[in-house]
Amino acid sequence: MNHWQDLEKTQRTIARVLQNSVMRERLAHAYVFEGGRGTGRQEAALLLSQAFLCSHRDGADPCRACSDCRRAASGNHPDVHRIEPDGASIKVDQIRALKKEFSMRGMETQKKVYLVREADKMSASAANSLLKFLEEPEGEALAVLMTVNAHQMLPTILSRTQVMSFQPLSPERVIRHLKAEGYPEKEAATAARLTSDLEEAAALFEEEWISQARAKVIQLMNDVMHRPSDAYITLHETVMPFFPGREQVERALDLIMLWYRDVLRMQVGQSEAIVYIDQEDRLAEQAFQLSQGRLGRNLQAVMDAKRRVHANVAPQLLMEQLLLRLQEG
Ligand SMILES: [Zn+2]
């Protein structure tokens, strides 16, 4: 990510607010970048650091050619500090060590940047120490505290920072990206509903996992509906061996959920929004045969199973119970 325009494609509001603040030289001392993987938090933090340090900015964009820009990009800038948990937490000693380091050597410039990963793991004393640091009068400082969930951070920290919530990528954007990478559309449409993280989505295509996973769930869904006596065998011989363990079973449940949501979409006339885009005929058939009441109970059964998947119940048993509920209707 080299320009604010790049960030605008996915995080429009944040890109505009930050650009504006850079242009007016009115950046906050500390930002919290909140968001999941793949939302561009890290890249945005680097871009912001470069824009902050660069002395040859073009508008709000860093020049990317000066030594500040280049060293920030390669992770070697002496005034850009990366802080991450040492063990389970970020400790006050880590912040104290930084202070000591500063007092030992002369600064390159008056500007300092702190990039804090997993900032919710900062102890209260570490956070206070860092924030005090930022408010010191000499020089300028910028801190970006990154976290998956700002609610896990101490209110005293949040009140002294500006929180930016990075939105997950929309399924449409993930699909576009996957298609541009050469992945087939029907699998891309499914993968984009399992994760909004681009790397994780691409990983689902390894060894044709997503293609096989879809095929197995489609078979199970059709057996449940049309060949109930085969469904149990399909579950044990086809589905369970492919989805071993809780994480995998959770994926299977997501795929089953997507199937019934598609049936629902067919019932309410939203066939253009279905995820199993190559299964429209089968979905239409099920939409016709399943009453709204039964479809609602099926969706509920899948949700209940999803809730229990990390509880102390064997995945095998969980899936058998689900199958029973789906067939009772
Ligand atoms: Zn520059």
Side-chain angles (χ1 to χ4, degrees), residues 1-7 43 47 50 60-64 73:
M1 195 180 290
N2 295 320
H3 305 281
W4 292 106
Q5 244 181 330
D6 301 329
L7 185 65
E43 294 89 339
L47 184 59
Q50 288 178 313
D61 283 326
C63 74
R64 298 192 293 128

Side-chain angles (χ1 to χ4, degrees), residues 50 53-57 62-70:
Q50 288 178 313
L53 294 166
C54 177
S55 42
H56 307 279
R57 264 198 346 251
C63 74
R64 298 192 293 128
C66 72
S67 81
D68 282 323
C69 283
R70 281 186 286 120

Side-chain angles (χ1 to χ4, degrees), residues 108-180:
E108 287 251 337
T109 63
Q110 290 290 24
K111 293 184 171 182
K112 298 169 209 142
V113 176
Y114 307 95
L115 302 178
V116 185
R117 286 182 48 213
E118 300 185 59
D120 45 283
K121 299 205 171 120
M122 261 201 268
S123 70
S125 49
N128 282 324
S129 181
L130 178 66
L131 290 171
K132 219 189 281 164
F133 216 174
L134 297 175
E135 286 154 11
E136 275 169 14
E138 71 267 19
E140 290 175 76
L142 169 72
V144 182
L145 314 180
M146 282 164 277
T147 177
V148 172
N149 187 350
H151 293 301
Q152 289 168 351
M153 294 179 61
L154 297 166
T156 50
I157 304 175
L158 292 178
S159 67
R160 291 152 86 184
T161 59
Q162 193 169 339
V163 178
M164 302 268 169
S165 294
F166 284 63
Q167 301 305 311
L169 296 193
S170 68
E172 290 70 29
R173 181 160 287 281
V174 177
I175 293 169
R176 251 198 316 245
H177 177 87
L178 291 170
K179 279 168 71 183

Side-chain angles (χ1 to χ4, degrees), residues 65-121:
C66 72
S67 81
D68 282 323
C69 283
R70 281 186 286 120
R71 288 182 300 171
S74 64
N76 296 323
H77 198 295
D79 291 326
V80 177
H81 294 275
R82 291 163 201 271
I83 303 166
E84 53 186 32
D86 174 14
S89 66
I90 296 173
K91 301 175 182 76
V92 68
D93 290 347
Q94 291 173 256
I95 310 294
R96 287 203 187 115
L98 267 183
K99 285 195 185 179
K100 200 167 167 198
E101 195 190 320
F102 281 135
S103 62
M104 304 276 283
R105 62 172 172 80
M107 271 349 93
E108 287 251 337
T109 63
Q110 290 290 24
K111 293 184 171 182
K112 298 169 209 142
V113 176
Y114 307 95
L115 302 178
V116 185
R117 286 182 48 213
E118 300 185 59
D120 45 283
K121 299 205 171 120

Side-chain angles (χ1 to χ4, degrees), residues 193 261-262 265-266 269-277:
R193 265 68 175 202
R261 286 204 183 130
D262 273 3
R265 287 193 183 99
M266 297 300 286
Q270 293 178 348
S271 59
E272 74 287 346
I274 58 171
V275 173
Y276 288 90
I277 49 180

Side-chain angles (χ1 to χ4, degrees), residues 37 194-205 251:
R37 280 178 57 197
L194 293 181
T195 176
S196 59
D197 180 86
L198 294 176
E199 274 176 44
E200 206 180 328
L204 295 175
F205 287 82
R251 288 275 194 230

